[in-house]
Amino acid sequence: MSDFSSEKGTQQTLQKSDLSYKMPYETLEEAARSRKLEETKRQLSQSGFYYGQFSHDQSVELLKNSKIGTFIVRNSSSIVAPFTISLQTCQGPTSLRIHYQAGKFFTDVSENSLNDKMVKFDSLFDLINCFKNRGFQWSLKSVKCAGYLVLMDQNGKIYPKLFLHLPFKKVPSSLMHLARLAVNTNHNSQEIPKLQIPTSLKKYLQAYPHSV
């Protein structure tokens, strides 16, 4: 009887050991995702164009009289996409969900077969800057893929037909933030630590290393 109990106890110990061996990998992946999205939200909160829990109807009302290319970022109502970019187009306001998977941000496509070919970005701000670069988009060719009209580069990577121009900010940016945007426009993140400026200013620039 004691042998049976001992064997059963050993099996339970092994099973628990198994679980403790596998769980950290899942936990680490989830933790990394959580940290990335929280940091993205922190930086978005300084941008002036992040509207958080803003609905589709509210974004339509906000953007309906704006110029083409005016955009905001808000939280997505979808569980598979953390953010949504709402923007004004020639056909009126629309919204595009932004997915985050395996450390990359990419735009939503209804056709899953296009996901592997869809261009992906290290940050949401990289994605925004790409679609603000009108000259870059002109270098791409327009193709029809799986029934969708998209843009494609020479490597076969797919870009949605998305034109972003200016963000619709909640309030005017402070002079300090405008100065930060100007510095970030002319210096990349690797150059900031080398600038001959006070450490406090370097930290301020590094807290929002973007030009939009």
Side-chain angles (χ1 to χ4, degrees):
M1 190 75 172
S2 60
D3 287 346
F4 175 76
S5 299
S6 175
E7 184 179 349
K8 186 176 179 182
T10 303
Q11 287 175 347
Q12 289 176 340
T13 302
L14 286 172
Q15 287 171 355
K16 288 179 181 178
S17 176
D18 252 1
L19 287 172
S20 64
Y21 178 75
K22 292 175 183 176
M23 283 300 290
Y25 291 93
E26 298 174 0
T27 304
L28 285 173
E29 185 178 341
E30 291 170 0
R33 174 186 172 85
S34 179
R35 285 196 302 271
K36 180 75 171 183
L37 294 180
E38 285 303 314
E39 176 60 15
T40 300
K41 284 184 178 181
R42 185 195 68 76
Q43 293 183 7
L44 280 171
S45 69
Q46 298 183 52
S47 70
F49 54 83
Y50 176 52
Y51 285 70
Q53 299 294 343
F54 213 58
S55 70
H56 172 75
D57 290 343
Q58 286 175 306
S59 64
V60 169
E61 184 66 24
L62 179 72
L63 296 168
K64 66 181 182 181
N65 296 319
S66 63
K67 294 181 179 180
I68 293 175
T70 303
F71 68 93
I72 65 169
V73 175
R74 58 186 178 87
N75 294 340
S76 172
S77 58
S78 167
I79 60 173
V80 298
F83 302 108
T84 292
I85 292 178
S86 294
L87 66 149
Q88 177 69 294
T89 72
C90 59
Q91 297 178 326
T94 190
S95 293
L96 191 65
R97 290 182 297 185
I98 306 299
H99 290 255
Y100 178 75
Q101 186 177 354
K104 301 288 184 180
F105 293 88
F106 58 99
T107 52
D108 181 57
V109 283
S110 300
E111 178 55 57
N112 289 333
S113 64
L114 297 182
N115 276 339
D116 289 340
K117 295 180 180 179
M118 186 64 64
V119 65
K120 297 177 174 62
F121 301 87
D122 291 331
S123 79
L124 178 58
F125 292 90
D126 288 344
L127 184 153
I128 290 171
N129 281 326
C130 175
F131 294 110
K132 284 178 86 269
N133 187 345
R134 196 64 169 165
F136 169 72
Q137 293 188 50
W138 284 336
S139 71
L140 305 176
K141 64 179 181 179
S142 183
V143 297
K144 199 165 188 178
C145 193
Y148 294 87
L149 197 60
V150 296
L151 300 172
M152 184 178 288
D153 66 18
Q154 58 185 5
N155 297 315
K157 285 294 183 182
I158 292 174
Y159 300 72
K161 282 205 162 186
L162 175 64
F163 170 56
L164 303 178
H165 182 46
L166 290 174
F168 194 118
K169 297 197 173 185
K170 292 180 177 180
V171 294
S173 297
S174 67
L175 289 177
M176 279 187 69
H177 185 66
L178 290 173
R180 175 164 58 180
L181 295 180
V183 173
N184 289 338
T185 298
N186 294 288
H187 299 277
N188 61 46
S189 57
Q190 285 74 38
E191 294 173 332
I192 298 300
K194 301 174 185 177
L195 295 177
Q196 300 300 308
I197 57 176
T199 301
S200 58
L201 286 181
K202 289 181 184 179
K203 289 182 178 179
Y204 179 71
L205 293 171
Q206 291 168 329
Y208 187 84
H210 311 293
S211 58
V212 60

